[in-house]
Amino acid sequence: MAQVDALVETLKSALKSHNLKYRDVAQAMELSEASIKRLFSSRTFSLQQIQQVCLMMGMEISDLVQLMVERQARLQELSEEQEEEIVRDPGFLIITVCVLNRWTLEDMLRHYTFTEHECVQKLARLDRLKIIELLPKNRIKLLVAPNFSWRKNGPIQRFFLDTIEKELFQAQFDKPDHRLVVLNGMLSAQSNGELQKKIERLAREFDQLNNADAGLALPERQGYTLVLALRNWQYEQLFKYRRM
């Protein structure tokens, strides 16, 4: 399934580079635009349909696969030691998160108290870690793969989990752009598996929207944190009343 996701994401990227929209694909395939959107979101393309889309761009399926391989060759994860290096320096962590969210050097200087020299030093460290390529005039080329993520239970994930526990939920979630949903229930193993797949799809959609909005000017974007969690848990106080 991961390979299918990667191939469809590569197909979307190729369409964008050819300035083609969903409506162009729909017209070429004699389908509705809504049907094309469903094909992309559900990843249910047939081989023939993928070939049709490739032909629109003057490509073979083999060209698309090669593009996918090149995209996957980019950095997907840091080592434990590299994450430790980042998390030990709060300023370096801030710059790293900014870079992953496609901020420019000017954006960072406008929003934080770093000097230009301090920013460039930290960008040079990211260049050495192969997260970015620092170009002339301090322009930033992001080198990470579309599915780049922090290590599971690694230094940075542990840092963010600790921060989330202390800060994120110290709020009322009463603003129009905030949402908190807490559900309790009893599920079978099959239902749990289905729900986990839906969570994975939602996480991918969050990443896709984040990547799609990366081209917008910074004032048009706000920083959001989405937490998805599922585990077998009961409120500790309930154990007082359980028959042993």
Side-chain angles (χ1 to χ4, degrees):
M1 182 59 73
Q3 290 282 29
V4 173
D5 290 345
L7 190 64
V8 173
E9 286 303 310
T10 304
L11 189 61
K12 287 172 65 176
S13 178
L15 285 169
K16 187 175 181 180
S17 67
H18 283 78
N19 294 316
L20 293 170
K21 310 291 185 186
Y22 285 149
R23 63 174 175 270
D24 300 314
V25 179
Q27 185 175 4
M29 295 178 66
E30 298 182 349
L31 294 170
S32 68
E33 188 172 346
S35 296
I36 297 300
K37 289 180 179 179
R38 278 196 296 272
L39 284 173
F40 275 98
S41 63
S42 63
R43 271 87 167 146
T44 52
F45 281 95
S46 68
L47 196 59
Q48 182 180 4
Q49 288 171 324
I50 291 178
Q51 187 174 33
Q52 281 183 274
V53 181
C54 285
L55 288 174
M56 289 179 62
M57 300 178 284
M59 298 171 59
E60 299 287 342
I61 292 181
S62 58
D63 298 324
L64 184 67
V65 172
Q66 181 59 36
L67 275 177
M68 180 187 74
V69 171
E70 290 173 1
R71 282 164 61 94
Q72 290 181 325
R74 301 170 81 184
L75 185 66
Q76 296 181 7
E77 189 178 82
L78 298 178
S79 69
E80 186 91 8
E81 293 74 20
Q82 288 171 326
E83 287 200 1
E84 284 282 6
E85 177 185 346
I86 292 173
V87 84
R88 276 197 305 267
D89 180 347
F92 191 27
L93 178 59
I94 290 170
I95 295 298
T96 302
V97 172
C98 288
V99 162
L100 291 173
N101 282 290
R102 279 77 168 181
W103 286 36
T104 65
L105 174 63
E106 291 73 23
D107 291 330
M108 299 175 208
L109 294 175
R110 193 178 302 117
H111 285 80
Y112 295 107
T113 57
F114 301 114
T115 66
E116 183 171 348
H117 178 69
E118 288 171 331
C119 264
V120 172
Q121 277 190 322
K122 296 181 192 305
L123 291 174
R125 290 169 68 184
L126 290 174
D127 184 281
R128 289 194 294 274
L129 291 174
K130 305 299 182 186
I131 293 177
I132 67 167
E133 180 182 351
L134 191 54
L135 301 173
K137 298 184 179 179
N138 295 319
R139 290 180 294 113
I140 300 166
K141 180 181 179 182
L142 196 59
L143 297 181
V144 300
N147 61 340
F148 174 84
S149 62
W150 302 122
R151 298 178 68 85
K152 288 186 178 179
N153 201 34
I156 292 180
Q157 190 177 86
R158 291 196 300 270
F159 171 82
F160 281 125
L161 285 174
D162 185 53
T163 303
I164 286 168
E165 184 179 354
K166 291 178 179 176
E167 298 180 12
L168 182 66
F169 293 105
Q170 300 301 311
Q172 298 299 316
F173 290 87
D174 54 356
K175 295 184 179 180
D177 60 340
H178 291 186
R179 185 71 184 270
L180 176 64
V181 178
V182 179
L183 302 172
N184 298 101
M186 302 183 73
L187 302 175
S188 66
Q190 180 180 351
S191 295
N192 178 282
E194 290 178 10
L195 189 58
Q196 292 205 36
K197 289 178 183 177
K198 292 178 186 293
I199 290 173
E200 289 169 5
R201 284 199 294 271
L202 182 58
R204 285 199 302 269
E205 288 175 13
F206 183 93
D207 281 338
Q208 289 164 10
L209 291 170
N210 182 47
N211 291 333
D213 287 349
L216 298 174
L218 194 56
E220 297 180 58
R221 298 183 285 153
Q222 296 290 330
Y224 288 96
T225 295
L226 175 65
V227 179
L228 303 170
L230 177 68
R231 59 159 290 194
N232 56 331
W233 173 81
Q234 290 188 18
Y235 180 46
E236 189 173 330
Q237 294 296 320
L238 294 178
F239 285 97
K240 293 181 182 180
Y241 304 99
R242 290 184 61 178
R243 295 184 186 277
M244 303 306 290

